[in-house]
């Protein structure tokens, strides 16, 4: 334990030193070394300091005049986020929860006259610039039992569906729809959250209904708070009730900060106007800081903590490179930083190798990789891999026998950000205001996850042409010539990964994605061309099932039958795993390409319902995934030995 503590302290000091010196330069400006040669890192001070994520603009409050029933008000234009001035960052350290919300450009409002504090609903007198994190409607930390509404159009549009970024099923059926929708369109409708303890509420974020067919959103609303759910106090703007501007379309989240934080147990949103041709429908997130309650055992029992001393924050491109450099300097004997190519915008795609002999392929030692960030807005996987880098370095220095064996008997490659251009776009929006798709694609609009050559069709056509005399080859299938041409619609990032996978003989790999909680295994493409969902197993289906279950079964939530589904799919029938094609067909997926072209067994690991969780959620998400990340890497030995036995 002493060694582990010393290692953690040393890493923390190194992080502080690097941040103070401002080491690092923009990746595109660094000189290109040989393709797989150790990077030479610039030690010149940065001309400008590292910046934190400033706050985001709140939607401006409307006037005090209420809309006259039964005519709803004309929709108002939502306030767009504006960038705030950069602030100096003195150290790469984790702020206390709530200190930073990672919502860039938030405009903090000046303190107005305190809202009416009758009925024992106190106003928080702390500095309102200290914003609070989300309560957890999107992450499901707030349960269905804590959400209530005046009326609902039907069950699938009940209060439990009024969660930020929740997605509707294709059929938008009675169980899984894309918002809370009131049963009637009048001024008496509301949706409320029971925080189950006194909470300092600071803001509300709203969206419209997620729907392929309908346009429903709320254009203005009131906010009320209560301690007993019977007596309500409306948030005031001077002497009158404050009307907050809502949405102007259904997908872009709009934030409104309360003029003064309100302390209460319940918060209620009361729509005052809505889209002329639509209904009262919304999805929301509430910003609030739960107040300490040492006497409440229920909340203390459910609080998640971690003992790992890691850098729990969101890292932009420059900060990611600095963190890699710190880990490399702390563990120079087992780490190597290299890049596999460049993004469309010229940002280098950095990877870190962890091995007892960095830069050298050892005969008989299996090669493993983790990839994250193919979709730039699925940020949790990126941060989990950066945390994993720190953890492996710390535990190796502390001589943790399990980690030492993993490092010395495996060559591990970690690529945290395959789509840095998309991430930078998502980072500008922030964890709450980015929405469901901002930054998903590359800069030139390509979805990397299905941008690989479709080798499935080539395989199946070859099999269909056979007369049974001999089997068609189902491995090391060549890439079609048209795909290799310069005119093909192939992302620079995709070409870089293909070159990387052709150069290094990976045995096992996992690509981390977000927005769900499941492990998907090949095939990802259905064999029947007229179907969108069909169980399509590989010849190694039993191996893929075992690999997928090794991750899912050691995750804290993935196989928990009591957990709520993220959106519309319940994956418990297969213990948190799913055949990709039976979920939804994808042609040209990374998993299928990796398996058919390089013989690497690749899985897609969806690590959380929330693609871009708030910084305060990162310690809990790390605890959810840490054991799974390690256990999955350890499977490379069993699989590698099985292959050796079959080929010997």
């Amino acid at each position: 334990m002493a060694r582990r503590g010393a290692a953690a302290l040393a890493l923390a000091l190194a992080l502080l030193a690097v941040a103070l010196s401002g080491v690092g330069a923009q990746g595109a400006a660094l000189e290109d070394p040989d393709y797989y040669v150790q990077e030479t890192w610039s030690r010149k001070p940065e001309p400008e300091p590292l910046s934190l994520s400033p706050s985001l603009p709140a939607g401006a409050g409307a006037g005090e005049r209420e809309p006259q029933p039964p005519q709803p008000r004309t929709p108002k234009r939502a306030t767009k986020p504006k960038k705030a001035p950069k602030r100096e960052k003195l150290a790469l350290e984790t702020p206390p929860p709530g200190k930073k919300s990672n919502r860039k450009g938030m405009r903090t409002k000046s303190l107005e006259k305190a809202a009416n504090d009758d009925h024992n609903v106190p106003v928080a007198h702390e500095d309102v610039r200290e914003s609070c994190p989300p309560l957890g409607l999107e992450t499901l930390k707030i349960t269905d039992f804590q959400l209530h509404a005046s009326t609902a159009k039907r069950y699938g549009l009940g209060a439990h569906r009024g969660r930020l970024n929740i997605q509707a099923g294709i059929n938008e059926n009675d169980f899984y729809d894309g918002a809370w929708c009131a049963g009637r369109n009048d001024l008496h409708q509301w949706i409320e959250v029971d925080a189950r303890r006194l909470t300092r509420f600071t803001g509300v974020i709203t969206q419209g209904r997620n729907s392929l067919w309908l346009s429903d959103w709320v254009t203005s609303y009131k906010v009320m708070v209560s301690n007993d759910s019977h007596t309500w106090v409306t948030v005031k703007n001077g002497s009158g009730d404050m009307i907050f501007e809502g949405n102007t379309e259904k997908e872009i989240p709009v934030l409104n900060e309360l003029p003064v934080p309100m302390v209460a147990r319940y918060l209620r949103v009361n729509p005052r106007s809505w889209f002329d041709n639509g209904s009262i429908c919304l999805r929301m997130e509430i910003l609030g800081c739960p107040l300490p309650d040492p006497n409440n055992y229920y909340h203390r029992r459910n609080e998640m903590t971690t003992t790992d001393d890691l850098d729990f924050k969101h890292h932009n491109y420059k900060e990611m490179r600095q963190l890699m450099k710190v880990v490399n300097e702390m563990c120079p004997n087992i780490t190597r930083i290299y890049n596999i190519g460049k993004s469309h915008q010229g940002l280098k795609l950095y990877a870190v190798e962890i091995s007892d002999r960095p830069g050298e392929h050892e005969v008989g030692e299996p090669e493993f990789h983790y990839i994250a960030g193919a979709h730039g807005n699925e940020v949790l996987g990126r941060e989990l891999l950066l945390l994993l880098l720190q953890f492996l370095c710390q535990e190796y220095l502390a001589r943790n026998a399990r980690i030492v064996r993993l490092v010395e008997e495996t060559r591990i490659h970690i690529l945290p950000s395959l789509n840095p251009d998309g991430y930078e776009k998502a980072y500008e929006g922030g964890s709450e205001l980015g929405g469901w798709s901002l930054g998903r694609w590359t800069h030139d609009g390509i979805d990397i996850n299905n941008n690989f050559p479709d080798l499935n069709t080539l395989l199946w056509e070859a099999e269909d042409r056979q007369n049974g005399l001999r089997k068609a080859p189902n491995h090391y299938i060549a890439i079609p010539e048209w795909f290799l041409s310069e005119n093909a619609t192939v992302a620079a990032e995709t070409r870089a990964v293909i070159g990387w996978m052709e150069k290094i003989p990976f045995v096992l790999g996992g690509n981390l994605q977000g927005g769900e909680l499941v492990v998907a295994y090949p095939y990802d493409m259905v064999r029947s061309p007229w179907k969108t969902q069909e169980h399509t197993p590989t010849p190694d289906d039993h191996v893929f099932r075992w690999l997928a279950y090794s991750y899912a079964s050691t995750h804290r939530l993935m196989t928990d039958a009591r957990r709520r589904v993220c959106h519309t799919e319940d994956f418990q029938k297969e213990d948190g795993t799913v055949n990709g094609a039976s979920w939804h067909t994808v042609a040209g997926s990374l998993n299928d390409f990796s398996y058919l072209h390089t013989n690497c067994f690749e899985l897609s690991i969806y690590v959380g319902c929330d693609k871009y969780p708030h910084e305060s959620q990162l310690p809990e998400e790390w605890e959810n995934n840490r054991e799974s990340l390690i256990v999955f890497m350890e499977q490379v030995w069993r699989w590698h030995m099985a292959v050796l036995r079959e080929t010997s």
Side-chain angles (χ1 to χ4, degrees):
M1 293 300 293
R3 289 179 179 176
R4 183 177 300 183
L9 178 60
L11 181 57
L13 291 173
L15 288 167
L16 177 62
V18 169
L20 285 169
S21 62
V23 178
Q26 290 297 332
L30 290 176
E31 293 186 4
D32 230 346
D34 291 338
Y35 195 63
Y36 287 97
V37 179
Q38 169 74 43
E39 286 280 354
T40 303
W41 293 83
S42 169
R43 296 182 179 272
K44 294 181 180 180
E46 284 285 334
E48 60 179 52
L50 259 171
S51 61
L52 290 172
S53 310
S55 339
L56 292 179
E64 298 176 13
R65 181 174 54 84
E66 293 185 16
Q68 298 299 318
Q71 278 296 95
R73 281 175 33 168
T74 304
K76 292 197 173 185
R77 183 179 180 85
T79 305
K80 292 185 178 179
K82 298 179 182 178
K83 289 187 180 180
K86 290 185 175 181
R87 295 183 292 172
E88 237 182 63
K89 180 173 173 60
L90 297 179
L92 288 169
E93 59 184 15
T94 306
K99 290 287 184 181
K100 295 193 332 181
S101 64
N102 198 46
R103 300 191 309 279
K104 285 202 166 189
M106 182 189 304
R107 183 179 67 240
T108 54
K109 297 179 180 179
S110 59
L111 280 170
E112 299 182 16
K113 185 178 179 180
N116 190 340
D117 56 357
D118 291 340
H119 312 296
N120 298 318
V121 178
V123 173
H125 295 288
E126 293 90 337
D127 185 357
V128 293
R129 291 172 187 161
E130 182 182 331
S131 60
C132 288
L135 288 186
L137 276 75
E138 184 176 6
T139 62
L140 307 182
K141 190 173 182 179
I142 295 294
T143 69
D144 289 351
F145 300 106
Q146 293 174 258
L147 297 171
H148 308 279
S150 52
T151 61
K153 189 167 291 187
R154 51 187 170 80
Y155 176 78
L157 293 168
H160 64 291
R161 302 296 293 177
R163 300 172 180 273
L164 194 72
N165 285 320
I166 204 163
Q167 301 296 293
I170 295 175
N171 299 321
E172 301 184 25
N173 56 37
D174 191 44
F175 290 99
Y176 301 115
D177 225 320
W180 161 70
C181 290
R184 300 184 300 273
N185 290 336
D186 60 44
L187 300 179
H188 303 292
Q189 305 306 309
W190 49 263
I191 180 172
E192 73 182 37
V193 178
D194 176 5
R196 287 185 174 167
R197 63 195 293 184
L198 286 179
T199 301
R200 183 163 60 92
F201 295 114
T202 62
V204 176
I205 302 171
T206 58
Q207 280 174 314
R209 177 179 178 178
N210 176 249
S211 172
L212 294 173
W213 327 109
L214 301 170
S215 297
D216 299 313
W217 60 82
V218 170
T219 58
S220 69
Y221 58 89
K222 289 183 181 180
V223 175
M224 295 174 279
V225 293
S226 172
N227 281 336
D228 57 10
S229 78
H230 296 292
T231 304
W232 293 88
V233 173
T234 303
V235 173
K236 303 289 184 182
N237 183 14
S239 59
D241 295 347
M242 186 165 186
I243 305 294
F244 294 93
E245 289 191 37
N247 300 83
T248 56
E249 58 87 70
K250 56 189 176 185
E251 288 298 337
I252 299 177
V254 173
L255 164 69
N256 279 293
E257 287 186 312
L258 305 187
V260 176
M262 304 289 286
V263 174
R265 172 174 168 173
Y266 301 88
L267 183 141
R268 177 178 286 185
V269 172
N270 168 220
R272 309 305 293 173
S273 64
W274 45 93
F275 179 54
D276 288 337
N277 298 321
S279 303
I280 296 178
C281 295
L282 63 78
R283 294 173 285 169
M284 68 178 185
E285 181 62 83
I286 306 300
L287 307 184
C289 298
L291 300 184
D293 187 1
N295 298 318
N296 193 324
Y297 170 74
Y298 174 83
H299 292 292
R300 285 185 287 118
R301 183 187 61 186
N302 286 277
E303 288 176 354
M304 171 57 64
T305 58
T306 181
T307 58
D308 295 326
D309 186 15
L310 307 174
D311 192 26
F312 293 106
K313 68 181 293 294
H314 288 296
H315 299 80
N316 62 23
Y317 184 75
K318 181 166 62 174
E319 293 166 338
M320 179 187 73
R321 289 171 35 252
Q322 288 185 345
L323 182 60
M324 289 179 173
K325 180 180 183 296
V326 169
V327 172
N328 178 237
E329 290 184 342
M330 285 297 301
C331 296
N333 296 330
I334 62 167
T335 61
R336 178 176 72 101
I337 304 169
Y338 64 97
N339 77 83
I340 69 168
K342 292 183 179 180
S343 71
H344 184 273
Q345 290 287 86
L347 298 178
K348 292 183 179 179
L349 307 178
Y350 286 110
V352 177
E353 176 193 342
I354 303 175
S355 171
D356 58 340
R357 294 185 180 179
E360 179 182 344
H361 173 70
E362 299 180 64
V363 176
E365 184 171 284
E367 306 258 6
F368 175 93
H369 72 254
Y370 270 132
I371 300 173
H375 295 146
N377 64 330
E378 294 171 7
V379 174
L380 179 56
R382 170 193 176 110
E383 295 306 330
L384 287 175
L385 292 189
L386 293 178
L387 291 168
L388 180 62
L389 284 176
Q390 302 171 62
F391 180 80
L392 292 176
C393 175
Q394 285 187 7
E395 296 301 302
Y396 184 85
L397 293 177
R399 306 310 294 170
N400 179 324
R402 183 185 185 190
I403 301 303
V404 169
R405 179 175 179 239
L406 184 64
V407 170
E408 293 182 350
E409 297 185 11
T410 317
R411 192 177 180 212
I412 304 165
H413 302 258
I414 295 178
L415 179 66
S417 186
L418 177 55
N419 182 7
D421 297 347
Y423 173 80
E424 292 300 304
K425 187 178 294 183
Y427 187 81
E428 288 296 318
S431 61
E432 283 76 60
L433 298 187
W436 188 251
S437 60
L438 180 66
R440 174 184 176 90
W441 300 279
T442 63
H443 188 267
D444 48 345
I446 296 175
D447 186 338
I448 296 176
N449 195 50
N450 57 5
N451 190 226
F452 292 84
D454 172 14
L455 304 183
N456 303 61
T457 301
L458 296 178
L459 168 66
W460 294 330
E461 287 178 350
E463 288 179 348
D464 292 340
R465 286 194 300 266
Q466 297 298 318
N467 295 320
L469 298 177
R470 68 184 185 87
K471 294 182 179 179
N474 63 355
H475 63 288
Y476 296 124
I477 299 175
I479 298 174
E481 290 186 8
W482 66 264
F483 188 89
L484 300 174
S485 69
E486 293 184 2
N487 296 328
T489 307
V490 182
E493 297 85 348
T494 306
R495 296 185 189 275
V497 170
I498 291 175
W500 184 48
M501 298 181 76
E502 288 180 332
K503 188 172 185 69
I504 300 177
F506 292 116
V507 174
L508 180 63
N511 57 88
L512 274 54
Q513 301 190 44
E516 263 298 349
L517 204 55
V518 67
V519 181
Y521 55 88
Y523 288 122
D524 288 335
M525 181 179 176
V526 298
R527 184 159 188 168
S528 303
W530 59 87
K531 293 185 178 180
T532 58
Q533 292 177 308
E534 179 186 45
H535 183 70
T536 312
T538 68
D540 297 295
D541 188 60
H542 64 291
V543 179
F544 274 117
R545 287 176 178 271
W546 150 49
L547 291 171
Y549 185 69
S550 71
Y551 193 101
S553 62
T554 48
H555 189 280
R556 287 186 63 252
L557 299 175
M558 215 171 272
T559 55
D560 186 351
R562 299 168 298 176
R563 75 172 182 87
R564 185 195 188 282
V565 299
C566 291
H567 301 282
T568 64
E569 301 283 347
D570 186 356
F571 298 107
Q572 292 308 312
K573 59 181 179 292
E574 293 189 50
D575 293 319
T577 68
V578 67
N579 171 255
S582 67
W583 182 13
H584 57 268
T585 185
V586 175
S589 75
L590 172 57
N591 289 349
D592 290 0
F593 170 80
S594 179
Y595 175 64
L596 294 174
H597 183 65
T598 71
N599 271 17
C600 173
F601 280 53
E602 184 93 18
L603 281 75
S604 292
I605 303 168
Y606 293 80
V607 292
C609 302
D610 187 353
K611 291 182 177 183
Y612 196 158
H614 187 271
E615 252 174 29
S616 61
Q617 290 295 118
L618 293 180
E620 182 171 351
E621 293 295 353
W622 167 246
E623 287 296 318
N624 289 342
N625 288 276
R626 177 185 57 193
E627 181 65 14
S628 300
L629 289 166
I630 297 170
V631 166
F632 185 65
M633 284 191 289
E634 291 172 336
Q635 303 313 302
V636 74
W637 301 327
R638 295 179 62 185
W639 172 230
H640 186 59
M641 293 306 297
V643 172
L644 291 178
R645 283 195 298 269
E646 288 181 8
T647 56
S648 60

